[in-house]
Amino acid sequence: MTDRLYYHDSFLYDFDADVQSTSESPRPALILDRTAFYPTSGGQLHDTGWITFGSEKLRVTEVADTEDGKVIHYLEVPPKEITPGSKVRGEIDITRRRDHMRQHSAQHVLSAAFVRLHNMPTVSFHMADDYCSIDLDTPTLTKEQIESAERLANEIVLEDRPVDIRFVTRDEADKLGLRKLPPAERDQLRLIDVHDFDLSACGGTHVAHTGQIGCILLRKAEKVRQGWRIEFVAGLRAVFTARRDFTALTDTAALFSAHIYDVPQQARKLLDEIRSLRKQREEAQEELAQAQAANLLVDTPETQGRKLIVRTFSDCDLSSIKLLAQKLTRLAPNAVALLATTSPQPSLVFAQSAGQSFDMGALMKETMARVGGRGGGSKDLAQGGVPPSTALDAMLEDLKQKLSDRI
Ligand SMILES: [Zn+2]
């Protein structure tokens, strides 16, 4: 068993230790007789840092628990001088550790706030590199409940209450009324005591006073299978997050030439305008297609009982020529339309009035096979995209000839 120095002092950032064993595979690693490095566990991420021996300074990239109760330190590169028995110096990355302490202590305070105010126990805690989350066991969660828990948690932070580490027996713990009690497997329990506010069994590293948490900012709340998940950030993470939010909001407000608090109203107004303009454009397109179709039908003479309309457009997209094809085949009972557009991508639409005898889907497939495009459709309406090098006019003339021969 490795002697875990962080159990007694979360502020111990460097220490001396003896190397117990080293290994190279699958990754270079070493085990010490004692360590202040925290291994990933209980929702808290591992420490990083350095292990020094003489002139050799090795980067510790990950720390984990082994199955037999030891702490393993994974190294960036294999040690050269270090062997079992070497007396080394360990040094924790202080910035990372302090951040983790703030997040983890914030979690205890926040979880206790949700229990005290709303009787919502925390069932899990997750720490990521940029945010943390807790899962609350509750079927419902309101905005007011979130805000009141955030407020109480921050009041406890501002009161700067002591946070003590205590060791008790299992029997003692049972009588103390802990917020969180681990499964009965250990005789001795380590408790984190946020003075007169929260008492939980926990192996993590914590601040010594709640004021060191800085502040707690609640972010996203989302329904998950077993309850509600709340994301939060504490300490400098909260400051960085608030700064990023403010920058995003300020940039958006500048686009509207508005105050940041008017952004939602301005965005709503703009979306309404877009929706209304889109509707107007659709109506105009319908009218235009209807008029265009009527003109084309007037200009196209009937050949053997059919009006065969063949056109290539350079200023209409696929959806516009599709609309035109639909208008043509609905306005006239005997129309066959072979339409193409060059923009933005060369595309084809073939259509015929209901009841006509060709098969537009089959014709499109045939054409696509010849030019190397992709497309298809039904008996009366088909569409496809063709390679940019395709000579559209010549191809349509060829198809027109083919259809005329079949009539
Ligand atoms: Zn904890």
Side-chain angles (χ1 to χ4, degrees):
M1 297 275 273
T2 309
D3 182 10
R4 295 164 194 251
L5 304 171
Y6 61 83
Y7 268 172
H8 307 276
D9 186 359
S10 298
F11 293 83
L12 181 68
Y13 300 133
D14 43 40
F15 62 99
D16 294 312
D18 290 343
V19 175
Q20 283 199 328
S21 62
T22 61
S23 54
E24 294 232 348
S25 165
R27 280 189 285 165
L30 52 82
I31 288 174
L32 307 171
D33 63 337
R34 59 211 292 270
T35 189
F37 280 93
Y38 186 80
T40 296
S41 52
Q44 184 180 331
L45 288 171
H46 63 83
D47 286 322
T48 59
W50 300 267
I51 286 174
T52 312
F53 178 69
S55 59
E56 191 170 27
K57 188 171 186 179
L58 299 168
R59 175 97 184 129
V60 176
T61 53
E62 195 187 335
V63 187
D65 278 312
T66 66
E67 278 174 12
D68 55 354
K70 291 174 180 165
V71 175
I72 184 161
H73 307 74
Y74 291 104
L75 305 168
E76 199 170 43
V77 294
K80 286 191 194 119
E81 308 284 325
I82 297 172
T83 52
S86 300
K87 292 197 181 305
V88 294
R89 182 146 191 87
E91 210 184 312
I92 310 287
D93 180 329
I94 296 176
T95 309
R96 179 177 165 98
R97 159 65 75 81
R98 280 186 185 150
D99 172 58
H100 291 176
M101 283 156 63
R102 289 181 198 121
Q103 310 309 316
H104 198 156
S105 297
Q107 180 261 310
H108 281 219
V109 172
L110 186 60
S111 290
F114 271 109
V115 169
R116 281 174 176 253
L117 290 178
H118 311 300
N119 197 24
M120 294 175 185
T122 294
V123 288
S124 70
F125 164 48
H126 172 72
M127 184 191 290
D129 284 329
D130 49 358
Y131 73 95
C132 297
S133 67
I134 49 171
D135 284 359
L136 296 172
D137 182 8
T138 173
T140 57
L141 182 65
T142 65
K143 197 164 159 269
E144 289 70 30
Q145 287 170 325
I146 292 170
E147 286 176 9
S148 56
E150 182 183 57
R151 188 185 173 88
L152 175 59
N154 279 295
E155 274 166 7
I156 299 301
V157 169
L158 293 175
E159 285 169 12
D160 200 22
R161 297 190 185 208
V163 180
D164 295 326
I165 303 167
R166 285 161 59 184
F167 291 87
V168 295
T169 63
R170 181 89 208 177
D171 287 345
E172 283 168 331
D174 284 340
K175 288 176 208 135
L176 285 170
L178 304 188
R179 177 173 57 76
K180 191 179 137 222
L181 199 60
E185 56 186 22
R186 287 185 215 122
D187 297 336
Q188 206 189 34
L189 289 178
R190 180 176 183 263
L191 304 185
I192 301 301
D193 184 355
V194 179
H195 215 86
D196 289 337
F197 191 68
D198 184 53
L199 195 56
S200 300
C202 174
T205 56
H206 288 271
V207 297
H209 290 86
T210 56
Q212 290 167 329
I213 295 170
C215 60
I216 306 173
L217 179 64
L218 269 55
R219 306 271 297 162
K220 198 166 86 180
E222 61 174 339
K223 183 94 185 73
V224 289
R225 209 183 322 162
Q226 72 276 43
W228 279 81
R229 177 163 300 160
I230 301 228
E231 286 182 12
F232 69 93
V233 278
L236 280 174
R237 287 192 193 200
V239 176
F240 297 150
T241 306
R243 169 59 50 196
R244 207 166 57 226
D245 290 353
F246 183 73
T247 304
L249 208 46
T250 307
D251 289 352
T252 315
L255 294 175
F256 289 111
S257 305
H259 190 275
I260 57 167
Y261 298 125
D262 294 331
V263 165
Q265 192 201 341
Q266 293 285 344
R268 223 171 284 128
K269 206 173 112 196
L270 189 68
L271 283 175
D272 284 346
E273 273 173 32
I274 290 170
R275 241 171 257 131
S276 148
L277 285 171
R278 208 171 270 161
K279 201 159 167 264
Q280 281 176 27
R281 192 186 62 179
E282 273 166 24
E283 283 165 6
Q285 278 173 333
E286 286 271 336
E287 279 173 31
L288 180 69
Q290 182 87 4
Q292 237 179 340
N295 281 339
L296 279 171
L297 287 169
V298 168
D299 291 348
T300 309
E302 222 173 73
T303 316
Q304 289 164 309
R306 278 196 181 87
K307 289 197 175 211
L308 191 52
I309 300 118
V310 180
R311 279 291 161 101
T312 302
F313 297 89
S314 58
D315 52 355
C316 300
D317 62 4
L318 175 64
S319 66
S320 304
I321 62 165
K322 200 170 159 188
L323 186 63
L324 178 61
Q326 283 167 335
K327 295 286 176 200
L328 283 166
T329 53
R330 275 174 205 162
L331 275 177
N334 56 349
V336 177
L338 304 178
L339 307 181
T341 177
T342 54
S343 84
Q345 282 97 33
S347 314
L348 301 173
V349 172
F350 299 164
Q352 66 180 3
S353 306
Q356 292 294 310
S357 58
F358 299 119
D359 185 338
M360 294 295 141
L363 187 66
M364 184 60 76
K365 277 223 157 69
E366 238 171 74
T367 310
M368 290 298 134
R370 210 167 60 233
V371 299
R374 284 167 66 90
S378 65
K379 184 174 177 292
D380 290 339
L381 180 68
Q383 68 181 64
V386 294
S389 55
T390 315
L392 289 171
D393 286 332
M395 189 182 70
L396 289 187
E397 266 317 305
D398 186 39
L399 285 171
K400 182 183 175 184
Q401 198 55 47
K402 214 179 266 176
L403 289 187
S404 304
D405 291 348
R406 285 190 206 170
I407 291 169

